[in-house]
């Protein structure tokens, strides 16, 4: 059989088929079901699952949540984005399953958006802390299930990583300066020995939510933590600027940014570093297992990126000023980290 020819870049070039070898240029495809047929099947599936979960003990609820998560992510991957969005808005949002699931305070909080957006600092606190004992049966068990999911473990692992990197920064520079962009409640600072022992010169907590900054001020009065209120837009417009940073990071912000804004912000934060300083940005990887549930019943939509997408964040960063770039995933394979060190 004829072997493929490799280009100078190693990619296989097209090879003409051998004689008498039948090639189907446009093979017949099965007719895709109409959205109405898809929704009928999905509604019957939700009806059946809801009925079982309504009456079930803890074990049945957990099994139902597993089936729900699996069925949602399967349909999300199988359907077009347009059909999936219609399912979320027209079926899931109006189905009796939604109020049943909203007995879980974590699920309900994201959907109701008390601070104007789904992934606020109070929501993330539900993943850091375990409030299951405060809830009744169904809400308690749904919340316990969500608290134990891979994405929730990734959020807690992210907090520990950021605390360690703060401590490493203090070890490298006794006068170290750290910036957290879209800091939320800055819970990683509570896990940092360097912050507790005041071995950093300054930790700047930058966020647009004054309620989050008030919580930070309450937890870190008169110390090295300096809350600053501002938005990504104010950073990009040059209305707020920082300099001579040893460590700058953003843990959850990039999940909500477009590619162009994310690349501009990356370049801007990189320029705020002093030589040897490090920038770390985190982003959830493409379609973690909870994605379907988050979108269908929490109305929580993220921008997911793979490794190529994370590399593209450096498109506006002057590479001649870059000393090192590192890409790595967390232990759950859910969050991708981009770490850039300035030359």
């Amino acid at each position: 059989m004829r072997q493929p020819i490799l280009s100078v870049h190693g990619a296989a070039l097209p090879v003409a088929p051998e004689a008498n070898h039948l090639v189907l240029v446009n093979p017949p495809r099965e007719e895709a079901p109409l959205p109405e047929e898809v929704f009928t099947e999905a509604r019957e599936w939700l009806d059946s699952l809801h009925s079982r979960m309504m009456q079930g003990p803890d074990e049945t609820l957990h099994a139902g949540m597993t089936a729900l998560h699996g069925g949602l992510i399967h349909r999300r991957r199988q359907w077009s984005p347009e059909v999936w969005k219609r399912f979320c808005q027209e079926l899931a949002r109006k189905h009796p399953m939604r109020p049943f699931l909203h007995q879980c305070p974590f699920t309900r909080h994201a959907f109701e958006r008390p601070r104007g957006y789904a992934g606020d600092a109070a929501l993330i606190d539900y993943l850091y802390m375990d409030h299951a004992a405060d809830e009744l049966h169904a809400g308690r068990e749904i919340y316990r299930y969500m608290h134990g999911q891979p994405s929730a473990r990734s959020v807690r692992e992210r907090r520990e990583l950021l605390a360690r990197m703060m401590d490493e920064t203090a070890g490298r520079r006794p006068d170290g300066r750290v910036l957290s962009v879209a800091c939320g409640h800055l819970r990683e600072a509570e896990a940092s020995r360097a912050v507790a022992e005041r071995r950093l010169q300054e930790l700047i907590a930058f966020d647009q939510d004054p309620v989050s900054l008030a919580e930070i001020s309450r937890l870190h009065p008169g110390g090295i933590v300096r809350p600053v209120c501002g938005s990504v837009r104010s950073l990009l417009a040059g209305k707020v600027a920082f300099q001579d940073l040893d460590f700058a990071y953003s843990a959850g912000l990039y999940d909500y940014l477009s590619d162009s804004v994310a690349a501009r912000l990356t370049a801007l934060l990189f320029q705020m570093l002093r030589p040897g300083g490090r920038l770390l940005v985190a982003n959830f990887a493409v379609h973690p297992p909870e994605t379907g549930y988050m979108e269908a019943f929490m109305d929580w939509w993220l921008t997911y990126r793979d490794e190529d997408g994370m590399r593209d964040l450096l498109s506006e960063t002057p590479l001649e000023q870059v000393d090192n770039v590192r890409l790595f995933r967390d232990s759950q394979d859910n969050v991708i980290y981009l770490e850039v060190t300035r030359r």
Side-chain angles (χ1 to χ4, degrees), residues 272-337:
M272 295 180 186
L273 301 173
R274 67 173 121 200
R278 291 187 293 178
L279 170 64
L280 183 78
V281 297
N283 210 118
F284 268 90
V286 178
H287 303 170
E290 294 80 57
T291 306
Y293 182 91
M294 290 167 58
E295 293 174 350
F297 291 106
M298 301 177 75
D299 195 23
W300 192 5
W301 303 75
L302 301 181
T303 298
Y304 299 98
R305 292 184 170 92
D306 58 12
E307 279 75 7
D308 287 340
M310 296 299 281
R311 291 187 190 94
D312 288 345
L313 298 180
L314 296 174
S315 62
E316 298 191 27
T317 301
L319 297 183
E320 67 275 9
Q321 298 178 16
V322 174
D323 182 57
N324 186 59
V325 176
R326 185 165 73 109
L327 274 174
F328 60 98
R329 292 200 180 205
D330 69 354
S331 67
Q332 305 297 316
D333 203 34
N334 271 335
V335 175
I336 307 177
Y337 293 92

Side-chain angles (χ1 to χ4, degrees), residues 223-295:
I224 63 170
V225 179
R226 177 164 70 97
V228 177
C229 191
S231 64
V232 171
R233 184 174 299 173
S234 64
L235 277 176
L236 295 174
K239 296 179 180 178
V240 181
F242 308 99
Q243 59 186 357
D244 296 330
L245 300 172
D246 298 288
F247 177 39
Y249 69 90
S250 187
L253 173 65
Y254 278 67
D255 296 313
Y256 302 92
L257 299 182
S258 67
D259 291 342
S260 60
V261 172
R264 287 171 56 202
L265 182 62
T266 300
L268 183 68
L269 294 176
F270 179 82
Q271 293 298 330
M272 295 180 186
L273 301 173
R274 67 173 121 200
R278 291 187 293 178
L279 170 64
L280 183 78
V281 297
N283 210 118
F284 268 90
V286 178
H287 303 170
E290 294 80 57
T291 306
Y293 182 91
M294 290 167 58
E295 293 174 350

Side-chain angles (χ1 to χ4, degrees), residues 2 8 11 33 51 57 65 68 99 104 143 145 170 183 225:
R2 194 174 302 180
V8 293
S51 178
M65 287 295 287
L68 179 64
C104 162
Y143 171 54
Y145 183 89
C183 61
V225 179

Side-chain angles (χ1 to χ4, degrees), residues 18-193:
E18 296 179 358
N20 301 321
H21 185 76
L22 179 63
V23 176
L24 295 178
V25 178
N26 292 305
R29 293 186 299 174
E30 292 185 9
E31 195 71 25
L34 297 173
E36 288 70 23
E37 299 170 12
V38 167
F39 287 176
T40 298
E41 179 277 329
R43 184 180 293 105
E44 292 173 352
W45 168 68
L46 280 179
D47 288 345
S48 175
L49 199 53
H50 176 246
S51 178
R52 295 200 305 272
M53 292 174 69
M54 279 281 290
Q55 306 301 324
D58 295 355
E59 297 78 8
T60 302
L61 269 173
H62 276 253
M65 287 295 287
T66 299
L68 179 64
H69 273 65
L72 289 170
I73 195 63
H74 171 74
R75 287 165 173 81
R76 189 192 192 278
R77 290 168 174 163
Q78 186 181 50
W79 297 343
S80 70
E82 294 76 20
V83 171
W84 170 251
K85 194 114 183 178
R86 275 192 58 194
F87 165 80
C88 292
Q89 294 175 345
E90 299 176 15
L91 204 165
R93 184 171 295 190
K94 300 174 183 178
H95 194 275
M97 181 69 90
R98 183 184 66 79
F100 176 76
L101 296 172
H102 283 193
Q103 294 175 85
C104 162
F106 172 69
T107 303
R108 183 176 66 250
H109 186 100
F111 186 85
E112 292 179 347
R113 303 167 182 252
R115 298 194 190 179
Y117 57 100
D120 63 32
L123 181 81
I124 303 304
D125 275 353
Y126 277 111
L127 301 179
Y128 289 149
M129 308 163 194
D130 187 349
H131 297 290
D134 301 334
E135 305 302 321
L136 299 176
H137 166 63
R140 181 183 67 242
E141 297 311 315
I142 296 167
Y143 171 54
R144 276 180 176 165
Y145 183 89
M146 296 302 298
H147 194 269
Q149 289 307 291
S151 293
R153 294 197 293 271
S154 288
V155 169
R156 294 191 288 272
E157 184 177 321
R158 185 178 67 190
R159 177 193 183 193
E160 297 306 313
L161 171 66
L162 295 172
R164 286 198 307 272
M165 293 189 71
M166 284 185 193
D167 294 347
E168 290 171 8
T169 301
R172 292 196 319 271
R173 304 250 346 188
D175 61 342
R177 300 183 70 243
V178 177
L179 168 67
S180 175
V181 179
C183 61
H185 287 159
L186 200 71
R187 296 299 185 194
E188 57 271 15
E190 299 170 44
S192 166
R193 292 183 61 85

